[in-house]
Amino acid sequence: MNSINTMNTTRICSVLLVVSAITFTSCKVASPQSSSAIQVKTLRCESLVNPRGIDEREPRLSWILESVQRGQRQTASQILVASSRERLQRNEGDLWDSGRRDSSASIQVSYAGKPLTSRQLCFWKVRVWDKDGKASAWSEPANFSVGLLAPSDWQARWIGRDETSTNTNESRRLSARMLRREFIAAKPVSRATVYFSGLGLSELYINGDKIGDQVLSPGLTEYSNRIHFLTFDVTAQIRRGQNAIGAWLGNGRYYAPRANSPAPTLNYGFPKLLSQLEINYTDGSREVIVSDESWKLTTEGPIIANNEYDGEEYDARREMPGWNRIGFKDADWQSAKAVSAPVGALRAEMIEPIRVTETLKPIKLTEPSPGVFVYDFGQNFVGWCRLAVRGPAGTTVKLRFAETLNTNGTLYTANLRDAKVTDLYTLSGNGEEIYEPRFTYHGFRYAEITGFPGRPTKDSLIGKVVHDDVASGGSFESSNALINRLHENVRWGTRGNYRSLSTDCPQRDERQGWLGDRSAFARGETYQFDIAALYSKWVQDFEDSQKPNGSMSDVCPPYWPIYSDNVTWPASTIIIPGALLDQYADTRLIARHYPSMVKWIEYMGGFITNGIIEKDSYGDWCVPPESPELIHSKDPARKTNPAILATSYFTHCLNLLSRYATLLDKPDDAKRFASWATQMKTALNEKFYNREKGYYDNGTQTACVLPLAFDLVPDGERPRVFNQLVHKIEGESRGHLGTGLIGGQWLNRVLTAGGRPDLVYRFATNTAYPSWGYMVENGATTVWELWNGNTADPAMNSGNHVMLVGDLSLWLYEDLAGIKADPAQPGFKHILMKPNLVGDLKWAKATHESPYGRIASHWRRVGNTLDWQITVPPNTTATIWLPAANAESVRESGKPATAAEGVKFLRMESGRAVYQVQPGSYRLLSRPE
């Protein structure tokens, strides 16, 4: 099932469903084993469902509670972890029986049982006690297994074929390796597990069956520090008697896609394989089949070239039927060689894999010139095409990809720079042939076919959507069709750039993990996708990419090793963990990454002079330029002083570190970083704040936004700085956006906090340049890299970037729909719900799949009445701000809100009635002033 497009309808039983009319429906909960009104659902280990081969020795366990009763919460829990299903069924927690734990904690609960060992199987379940002290039924069982924890557990050797490289030209042509070995399983098998890593990319087969449904695997890492291995239970694939194991090895980023170019990528070596198949027999004996010199290898298979920038070349005449099955004649294959092991440590891959998640059919097929056929899939997406073709042997079909078309209907490829983005398929001539690439991917809306034998049809080419298969994090919809389209554009662009990390773009010769693009956007991503595990992994990439002196690369992993020592891009190493803390209550990530954060901040402190740091490489990247053909503005009035950018961000990072130090019980650090931040705030204002004019330096929008966002403005001066920002927007920008990447990541929240959400709504509904709506009006189905991406120099006008989204998606969920985590009780243990009714918007609704369950908000204007329906999941509370003339007029499900179950009136505040709300579903009616 596609976890992106299919919501988990069992996440919360009190589900808010709103279609055209506003109604509530609730799941019917039956609990015959218990009198408790709570059910325990959605068990996860390290944010994953039933993960295999983890290497956490104290994995964190989480679950979600469901109930139709208001006010339900967990007062205690009991966790059982057993070494077998049978023991768990008998309620024997031989690995861990927590006993009754008087605690409301239902997320991030650390395993505290017997020490876990390599290969350990763990089966677990949970029951809880509700608000009345009644025990729930046991949850359905979940499981996880432990991988190989110690280097000594590995008996396998790295094998492959290291060559004397004469191939350093730009094409970086290298065929895929194929490896195989046969073995005998002499006795009945009770359990078989394979641990393997194939660099750069790999597919593993046993007896002809591909193991797992992952693609472009394993995930990208800084290979000098970390290598991912995967674990699979392959008991069902092992037969008694003769067996065969085989593997494809592709290049990925290990064998770099570029060498001697203006932007060379780090090269780590030639593809290589590590495989360890452990077979346990029913008689208690054990056998291990490892990668070694007994394996056979060929480079003469059908994948004659593969490159993530340029595509894949496949010659079906070179196919070797049965190569991964028993009995294949491999006498012409060479013996595999033992090769040098990668430098990085072997660690378990603990993220959702990349998968094919969706299939797209073309909406249009044209022939702009004879023999040139162009498919329009109606959506810019990331993945590849499935080709179906018949024809003579030796016929070569060429597939090329692009995001847009020239005016004559042919592919526009100027913005792809030197990426060839071409797949070549040479036919075998054996009837209908089906081809999908293995070791490349493309970002495109349009695909071109040439060389096709005959005339292709729409069915000849089907699009395959490919990305990290992260679960949906929520949904958003409103009465404004343009805003809905923007939300979908952001969603498509965001997931298309999930490549075991967050890349900047998926189509040209770049595709790098630029840190600055995600500083604040990462928080917004959590509302659309569950990125808890994915971003924990990426934060580890940050640390793995750090130099011993503390310097941090602008790109992580550093395939482009850009250690420019600017502030704003590497600041993500401190800002993003804070977002994961707030959204997922991930304190362990803070603790583990804290030394790296401190090392970076202290290293960068060496560049500070008199409280000011001027280290900035990129400015407010991609401010709307004054001329449509420009990439970057040349107008000094549009440029923000680099020292303001760097000093503001650095001060913000210091304040975040002070918060983290307090969380980790490091009071001396907390005091030191807070004091340091205060000194820099003072220096910033002394040097750049003009009290006569009421703004910083030359008064750009971003020079106003950052001090406002980071609370750096002098006491009493905030209204003046805010007024300057509004003046610039309404005057200079004529109600349009005037910031680049940096200012845009904080702009919408600053405006809303200052009482001008109407300006944000105007941004979101503008269709004239520069705006997101301008992109939509010009055919965009994702978000462009440039505000003027249809007119600027093609060297940098990707059609699928998210950096200019800024905090728009965050604003849609938190400020428009009104769903926000309380940093004082992170992970949505306490929810802040404060929707903003703006412009001509008639209604807005959103859901968020929080760690505690589904949160929902749907407000609608009905005449002079506001109809607001919310869902607060069990084991949480919420503070809600309801626009209302007074508290007495507010009704909840037909009753005065002050008398409603689960609702407690707190105060009136700026035209809103503020309430404390217990878990449950509510319908609130009010008459705003």
Side-chain angles (χ1 to χ4, degrees):
M1 181 179 292
N2 177 8
S3 60
I4 287 293
N5 295 308
T6 304
M7 286 291 186
N8 184 348
T9 57
T10 63
R11 293 287 296 267
I12 190 84
C13 282
S14 183
V15 177
L16 173 63
L17 297 174
V18 186
V19 187
S20 57
I22 305 177
T23 59
F24 277 94
T25 61
S26 296
C27 303
K28 299 299 182 182
V29 178
S31 185
Q33 303 174 33
S34 170
S35 58
S36 172
I38 284 182
Q39 287 188 326
V40 184
K41 300 282 188 177
T42 317
L43 275 60
R44 294 193 179 188
C45 172
E46 288 298 316
S47 302
L48 301 170
V49 177
N50 298 333
R52 304 263 67 80
I54 70 172
D55 57 3
E56 283 286 352
R57 296 176 186 269
E58 296 178 356
R60 294 165 297 175
L61 309 177
S62 302
W63 54 92
I64 285 175
L65 305 178
E66 298 180 358
S67 178
V68 294
Q69 285 188 354
R70 286 188 181 180
Q72 273 299 350
R73 58 190 172 87
Q74 173 186 305
T75 57
S77 67
Q78 182 180 9
I79 303 170
L80 293 183
V81 184
S83 59
S84 69
R85 289 188 178 88
E86 294 73 23
R87 287 181 179 273
L88 191 69
Q89 289 171 351
R90 297 194 298 266
N91 294 333
E92 297 177 13
D94 61 317
L95 294 179
W96 185 32
D97 181 348
S98 70
R100 175 170 171 157
R101 304 166 66 252
D102 291 329
S103 169
S104 67
S106 59
I107 67 171
Q108 311 285 13
V109 178
S110 294
Y111 171 86
K114 294 179 180 178
L116 297 176
T117 59
S118 294
R119 309 174 182 86
Q120 178 75 62
L121 296 178
C122 302
F123 303 86
W124 66 288
K125 61 184 179 181
V126 182
R127 65 173 175 174
V128 304
W129 282 260
D130 66 14
K131 65 176 183 177
D132 300 316
K134 297 178 180 178
S136 73
W138 287 104
S139 69
E140 291 297 317
N143 61 80
F144 62 90
S145 68
V146 181
L148 302 181
L149 299 177
S152 59
D153 291 324
W154 287 94
Q155 301 175 39
R157 302 181 66 183
W158 286 96
I159 59 173
R161 176 186 169 183
D162 285 355
E163 302 174 3
T164 301
S165 181
T166 59
N167 182 20
T168 58
N169 62 25
E170 282 308 296
S171 68
R172 299 291 286 169
R173 291 177 57 82
L174 191 70
S175 62
R177 280 90 163 99
M178 301 168 70
L179 299 99
R180 71 181 308 275
R181 180 194 162 169
E182 295 189 14
F183 62 94
I184 295 174
K187 293 173 282 188
V189 176
S190 63
R191 176 189 172 195
T193 307
V194 65
Y195 309 91
F196 81 99
S197 180
L199 301 176
L201 303 173
S202 57
E203 291 184 355
L204 190 71
Y205 294 82
I206 294 179
N207 294 323
D209 294 333
K210 182 184 173 184
I211 304 304
D213 58 359
Q214 72 283 352
V215 298
L216 301 176
S217 174
L220 303 178
T221 60
E222 209 310 56
Y223 299 112
S224 296
N225 282 307
R226 190 172 306 267
I227 307 292
H228 280 175
F229 72 88
L230 293 87
T231 302
F232 288 97
D233 183 331
V234 293
T235 307
Q237 282 77 29
I238 303 298
R239 306 167 184 166
R240 184 172 182 178
Q242 199 77 12
N243 292 266
I245 184 170
W248 284 97
L249 291 182
N251 301 331
R253 297 298 178 92
Y254 193 78
Y255 181 78
R258 286 292 181 272
N260 300 330
S261 73
T265 52
L266 282 181
N267 187 48
Y268 296 88
F270 290 93
K272 55 194 65 180
L273 173 73
L274 184 74
S275 175
Q276 185 159 311
L277 171 61
E278 301 185 355
I279 303 173
N280 295 86
Y281 295 112
T282 55
D283 65 359
S285 61
R286 178 170 169 269
E287 187 172 6
V288 182
I289 310 299
V290 300
S291 51
D292 57 20
E293 293 92 332
S294 67
W295 286 54
K296 302 297 286 292
L297 177 150
T298 185
T299 59
E300 302 300 319
I303 301 179
I304 58 178
N306 64 103
N307 183 298
E308 292 199 0
Y309 293 164
D310 299 326
E312 183 175 288
E313 298 178 35
Y314 190 98
D315 189 340
R317 297 170 301 176
R318 295 161 56 114
E319 289 180 337
M320 303 177 185
W323 70 273
N324 50 18
R325 298 181 182 273
I326 61 172
F328 176 77
K329 306 302 182 183
D330 58 11
D332 292 337
W333 289 33
Q334 60 188 275
S335 295
K337 302 295 184 182
V339 295
S340 299
V343 177
L346 276 167
R347 297 301 303 268
E349 181 161 290
M350 295 178 60
I351 56 176
E352 289 293 343
I354 300 173
R355 294 187 176 101
V356 176
T357 63
E358 190 174 346
T359 296
L360 296 181
K361 294 184 177 181
I363 63 171
K364 189 177 182 180
L365 173 59
T366 60
E367 189 178 7
S369 62
V372 178
F373 301 93
V374 175
Y375 289 76
D376 178 1
F377 288 92
Q379 173 64 53
N380 195 352
F381 70 101
V382 179
W384 52 71
C385 283
R386 174 186 179 271
L387 171 69
V389 61
R390 292 174 180 269
T395 303
T396 297
V397 178
K398 178 189 288 188
L399 303 178
R400 293 197 307 145
F401 305 88
E403 296 180 303
T404 56
L405 299 178
N406 295 308
T407 54
N408 64 359
T410 59
L411 298 189
Y412 174 81
T413 59
N415 68 325
L416 304 181
R417 302 200 288 229
D418 79 342
K420 296 181 176 63
V421 295
T422 300
D423 294 337
L424 298 176
Y425 179 77
T426 301
L427 279 68
S428 68
N430 297 322
E432 184 179 48
E433 301 179 45
I434 304 296
Y435 167 69
E436 289 186 36
R438 284 179 170 85
F439 300 131
T440 193
Y441 69 99
H442 310 286
F444 65 103
R445 172 174 172 171
Y446 302 95
E448 174 196 271
I449 288 184
T450 55
F452 192 92
R455 295 187 64 84
T457 68
K458 283 187 178 180
D459 293 332
S460 300
L461 212 61
I462 295 175
K464 298 288 187 174
V465 180
V466 177
H467 53 82
D468 290 87
D469 195 13
V470 290
S472 175
S475 63
F476 175 87
E477 192 177 357
S478 75
S479 59
N480 187 289
L482 176 57
I483 289 180
N484 297 341
R485 179 67 254 180
L486 291 177
H487 179 266
E488 287 306 300
N489 284 12
V490 173
R491 189 177 180 87
W492 274 97
T494 301
R495 67 169 174 161
N497 277 294
Y498 287 151
R499 172 73 173 87
S500 67
L501 53 97
S502 287
T503 60
D504 61 332
C505 62
Q507 75 294 90
R508 68 189 182 207
D509 58 343
E510 187 166 357
R511 313 183 197 194
Q512 303 289 342
W514 285 96
L515 270 61
D517 295 20
R518 292 305 206 284
S519 291
F521 180 70
R523 187 183 300 268
E525 288 177 73
T526 65
Y527 289 104
Q528 293 188 319
F529 303 105
D530 181 355
I531 58 170
L534 176 63
Y535 266 58
S536 292
K537 178 266 179 193
W538 197 28
V539 169
Q540 184 61 57
D541 292 333
F542 300 171
E543 185 169 335
D544 288 346
S545 304
Q546 190 172 29
K547 288 186 174 181
N549 65 0
S551 180
M552 188 72 66
S553 175
D554 299 343
V555 174
C556 293
Y559 303 136
W560 284 1
I562 304 175
Y563 292 85
S564 66
D565 289 333
N566 82 103
V567 174
T568 51
W569 261 244
S572 289
T573 196
I574 293 178
I575 296 172
I576 288 178
L580 302 181
L581 170 63
D582 290 342
Q583 304 301 96
Y584 301 113
D586 193 342
T587 56
R588 180 179 290 179
L589 182 70
I590 297 292
R592 289 184 174 177
H593 194 53
Y594 182 79
S596 171
M597 293 189 273
V598 172
K599 181 187 290 187
W600 178 73
I601 210 81
E602 291 181 340
Y603 167 75
M604 293 301 298
F607 298 105
I608 295 173
T609 301
N610 298 324
I612 299 295
I613 183 167
E614 298 183 354
K615 293 288 290 182
D616 180 73
S617 300
Y618 308 108
D620 189 18
W621 188 253
C622 294
V623 167
E626 58 275 14
S627 299
E629 75 282 356
L630 291 176
I631 292 176
H632 298 294
S633 173
K634 298 180 180 180
D635 179 6
R638 297 170 186 253
K639 296 182 179 181
T640 303
N641 192 308
I644 293 178
L645 299 175
T647 304
S648 296
Y649 257 68
F650 198 83
T651 307
H652 179 56
C653 288
L654 287 169
N655 283 321
L656 288 174
L657 270 181
S658 180
R659 178 194 176 195
Y660 304 158
T662 299
L663 179 73
L664 300 175
D665 194 24
K666 298 177 181 291
D668 291 343
D669 276 7
K671 183 178 179 179
R672 176 166 69 100
F673 293 130
S675 175
W676 192 355
T678 299
Q679 294 170 20
M680 295 195 71
K681 174 180 176 178
T682 299
L684 176 74
N685 287 302
E686 288 179 350
K687 185 174 180 64
F688 291 109
Y689 186 62
N690 188 323
R691 287 185 176 270
E692 291 183 6
K693 296 181 178 180
Y695 57 76
Y696 291 82
D697 198 46
N698 61 348
T700 66
Q701 293 181 36
T702 294
C704 297
V705 168
L706 296 186
L708 289 167
F710 302 149
D711 194 23
L712 304 179
V713 179
D715 292 343
E717 295 294 300
R718 190 176 184 90
R720 300 182 69 203
V721 177
F722 186 81
N723 288 339
Q724 166 70 6
L725 172 62
V726 172
H727 171 73
K728 295 285 280 188
I729 292 170
E730 293 182 329
E732 181 182 82
S733 298
R734 304 179 309 281
H736 288 71
L737 291 147
T739 61
L741 184 160
I742 296 299
Q745 295 206 45
W746 315 92
L747 173 66
N748 298 320
R749 287 170 290 168
V750 164
L751 287 171
T752 300
R756 294 301 304 271
D758 60 301
L759 284 177
V760 184
Y761 184 64
R762 186 173 175 182
F763 294 159
T765 54
N766 277 335
T767 57
Y769 171 82
S771 68
W772 301 294
Y774 174 78
M775 301 178 192
V776 173
E777 288 291 300
N778 284 275
T781 59
T782 46
V783 178
W784 297 344
E785 182 177 17
L786 304 176
W787 295 115
N788 54 338
N790 59 331
T791 59
D793 187 305
M796 201 183 87
N797 58 2
S798 157
N800 190 353
H801 256 66
V802 295
M803 69 181 193
L804 290 184
V805 175
D807 61 349
L808 174 65
S809 56
L810 190 65
W811 183 82
L812 293 178
Y813 283 89
E814 291 191 349
D815 293 314
L816 195 58
I819 299 174
K820 184 177 181 179
D822 181 355
Q825 299 182 60
F828 294 89
K829 181 66 172 174
H830 184 241
I831 308 158
L832 307 177
M833 305 188 75
K834 189 177 183 179
N836 284 273
L837 284 57
V838 292
D840 61 356
L841 204 64
K842 295 180 176 63
W843 57 267
K845 61 182 178 181
T847 63
H848 175 51
E849 308 296 337
S850 82
Y852 289 95
R854 178 173 292 179
I855 305 166
S857 171
H858 178 194
W859 60 260
R860 187 178 72 165
R861 291 166 165 163
V862 185
N864 294 325
T865 300
L866 174 65
D867 188 334
W868 187 24
Q869 301 184 69
I870 63 174
T871 294
V872 178
N875 212 29
T876 69
T877 57
T879 299
I880 67 171
W881 283 259
L882 175 69
N886 53 69
E888 291 73 22
S889 64
V890 178
R891 313 286 289 181
E892 194 286 307
S893 298
K895 301 176 182 179
T898 52
E901 178 189 3
V903 180
K904 179 183 178 182
F905 176 71
L906 299 178
R907 62 187 180 275
M908 290 297 300
E909 180 182 294
S910 303
R912 296 174 184 259
V914 186
Y915 299 90
Q916 186 83 2
V917 175
Q918 297 299 312
S921 293
Y922 301 85
R923 182 174 186 175
L924 297 145
L925 300 177
S926 71
R927 289 183 178 272
E929 289 182 330

